[in-house]
C-alpha cells in the first residue's frame, strides 16, 4: 500500500518544498493542502496557527498520510512542537533541520533570516541555531508584505522594491548567509540573489530550508522502512477558491494540476467539496 506524504502551507509557498521533494523522491505520492482562506499566516497569533494546524493535520490523518512535511516556517515556528506532542505520525518542519545543518558549517559567522512577522517574533531560527552553535550571530528581519504580494501577484517592480527595502538591513549587517525563512520567498530566489549582488554588492550564500527538511523527512522515512515507490501522484486541496489556487499554482509547478476545495471548519470533521 502506498500511503502519501502530507504537505501543507498557507498557500503557494509550500510548492517550493513540494518541488524539492518531487526532485529527490519523484515516486512518492503527495497530498498538498493550501490553507489559502487563512493566508497570510505570518500576521497571525500562536492560537490561530495551532488551531489551523490541528485541522489540517487531522484532515491529513484521515487521508491516511504516512508522514507530514510542514512546508511553512510560520507553522514550524509557532505550532510544530505542540502538534508533535499530540500526534504519532512522523512530522518534519523547516526550521530545525536547517538550523542543525547551518550550524555545522564552520565558515558561517553571521546569518540573516528573512521571514514573516510571526516567525521573526518567535525567534525560532535564532534559538534553534544558537542551540547548535552559540557562536553564530543571527539577525532576523520580517517582511510582512511579501506573502500577500506574491499570492496576489503584484507587479514585478513592486515586489522588487519591497524585496530591496527588506534586504537592506541584512545586507548592511554584512551577513555571510541568508536563510529564506518563509517558503514563499524561494519563488523569487533569482530576484533576491540579484538584489544582494547587484544592488548591495554582497556575495551571500542563500539557503532554502526546503532542501534540509526534505532530506530529514526522507531520512526518517528510510529509517522507518516506509519510503515507497508510488506513482508520484499529487493531489491538491485548498480551503479557499480551488480555481484560483489552480491558476496560480500551475505557474510555479509547471504542469497541469487538479485542485479540490475542502472545508476544514465543518463540525466534527472534514467535508470534501468536489468541483
Ligand atoms: N509560507 C509560510 C511560511 O513559510 C506562510 C506565509 C504566510 O502565510 O504568511 O512562513
Amino acid at each position: 500500500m502506498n500511503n502519501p506524504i502530507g504537505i501543507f502551507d498557507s498557500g503557494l509557498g509550500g510548492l517550493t518544498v513540494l518541488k524539492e521533494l518531487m526532485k529527490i523522491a519523484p515516486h512518492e505520492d503527495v497530498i498538498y493542502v493550501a490553507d489559502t482562506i487563512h493566508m497570510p499566516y505570518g500576521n497571525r497569533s500562536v492560537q490561530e496557527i495551532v488551531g489551523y494546524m490541528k485541522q489540517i493535520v487531522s484532515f491529513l490523518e484521515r487521508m491516511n498520510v504516512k508522514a507530514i512535511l510542514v512546508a511553512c516556517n510560520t507553522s514550524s515556528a509557532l505550532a510544530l512542537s505542540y502538534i508533535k506532542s499530540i500526534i504519532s505520525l512522523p512530522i518534519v518542519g523547516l526550521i530545525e533541520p536547517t538550523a542543525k545543518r547551518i550550524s555545522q558549517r564552520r565558515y558561517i559567522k553571521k546569518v540573516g533570516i528573512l521571514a514573516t512577522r510571526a516567525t521573526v517574533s518567535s525567534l525560532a531560527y535564532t534559538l534553534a541555531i544558537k542551540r547548535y552553535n552559540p557562536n553564530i550571530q543571527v539577525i532576523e528581519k520580517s517582511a510582512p508584505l511579501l506573502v500577500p504580494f506574491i499570492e496576489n501577484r503584484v507587479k514585478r517592480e513592486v515586489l522588487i522594491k519591497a524585496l530591496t527595502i527588506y534586504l537592506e538591513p541584512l545586507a548592511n549587517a554584512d551577513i555571510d548567509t541568508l536563510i529564506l525563512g518563509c517558503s514563499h520567498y524561494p519563488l523569487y530566489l533569482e530576484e533576491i540573489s540579484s538584489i544582494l549582488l547587484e544592488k548591495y554588492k554582497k556575495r551571500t550564500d542563500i539557503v532554502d530550508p526546503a532542501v534540509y527538511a526534505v532530506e530529514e523527512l526522507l531520512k526518517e522515512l528510510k529509517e522507518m522502512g516506509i519510503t515507497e515507490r508510488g506513482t508520484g501522484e499529487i493531489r491538491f486541496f485548498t480551503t479557499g477558491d480551488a480555481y484560483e489556487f489552480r491558476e496560480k499554482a500551475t505557474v510555479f509547478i509547471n504542469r497541469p494540476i487538479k485542485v479540490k476545495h475542502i472545508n476544514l471548519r465543518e463540525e466534527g470533521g472534514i467535508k470534501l467539496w468536489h468541483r
Side-chain angles (χ1 to χ4, degrees), residues 9-10 13 39-42 71-74 94 116 119 147 181-184:
D9 179 48
S10 64
M39 190 277 302
Y41 272 15
C72 169
N73 287 270
T74 309
L94 292 167
T116 65
T119 301
V147 169
C182 169
S183 56
H184 280 73

